[in-house]
Amino acid sequence: DADVTQTPRNRITKTGKRIMLECSQTKGHDRMYWYRQDPGLGLRLIYYSFDVKDINKGEISDGYSVSRQAQAKFSLSLESAIPNQTALYFCATSGLAEFTDTQYFGPGTRLTVL
Amino acid sequence: GESVGLHLPTLSVQEGDNSIINCAYSNSASDYFIWYKQESGKGPQFIIDIRSNMDKRQGQRVTVLLNKTVKHLSLQIAATQPGDSAVYFCAENRGAGSYQLTFGKGTKLSVIP
């Protein structure tokens, strides 16, 4: 969905490095989410934010941090990357005003930690 | 454990036939369900949704059926086309004001030309 963009699309890094993944949206949505996807495990929620001042941990937040710089921007950081953080990462958004919980996803970032 | 799951991890269908993808859920309080399609190298794409006060909803070539008695959700794709080849996920919102979705692991649909 072009309304939700993620950068970079691919990243290879080394153990111990700090990595930031960025997400921007033009949908005007209030809520933003970060997920990781691993083969056989589906999508798992890392962090979510209902507005700029509201940040919440998901089921697998250890080793990650986030920043909601603006309504349209939500970044995910790996302070010290480790190999088991190799995964596909997705940002998603949903809109309070839409009265549904449909989440719209970005194209993903493929992260490899060596 | 996973409350939103799948009956089949893979499904192969002849082009032109109808496809049925199944999903089970365990939370009776879930009040909203979504089907997503994920093509290789792309993010999940919204297909269709349904609320718990409905048992059927139709879109273009797709129908979602909800059976609350047995906590079962299905996605029917009519006249399956090669472009339908993808992984399909069901997701549930657990109600009570929750804005989080729980996703199933996905079913891979392969369309045989």
Side-chain angles (χ1 to χ4, degrees), chain B residues 17-111:
Chain B
D17 287 351
N18 296 334
S19 303
I20 299 176
I21 301 171
N22 297 303
C23 184
Y25 66 96
S26 60
N27 188 349
S28 298
S30 293
D31 60 4
Y32 181 63
F33 304 88
I34 308 171
W35 280 101
Y36 286 94
K37 172 186 180 184
Q38 186 177 20
E39 297 175 272
S40 181
K42 297 183 179 180
Q45 177 186 6
F46 170 85
I47 302 174
I48 191 168
D49 58 2
I50 189 168
R51 291 208 172 273
S52 58
N53 61 353
M54 304 171 68
D55 54 19
K56 180 179 180 179
R57 191 167 188 213
Q58 288 184 294
Q60 186 178 11
R61 282 201 308 119
V62 294
T63 300
V64 54
L65 299 178
L66 176 62
N67 186 329
K68 293 181 286 294
T69 302
V70 296
K71 300 187 184 66
H72 182 266
L73 190 70
S74 69
L75 176 70
Q76 300 180 2
I77 304 173
T80 311
Q81 303 170 0
D84 295 327
S85 293
V87 175
Y88 290 81
F89 298 91
C90 60
E92 66 176 316
N93 172 286
R94 297 200 169 206
S98 170
Y99 296 109
Q100 296 183 48
L101 296 177
T102 300
F103 293 85
K105 291 181 174 59
T107 294
K108 183 176 181 180
L109 174 66
S110 297
V111 181

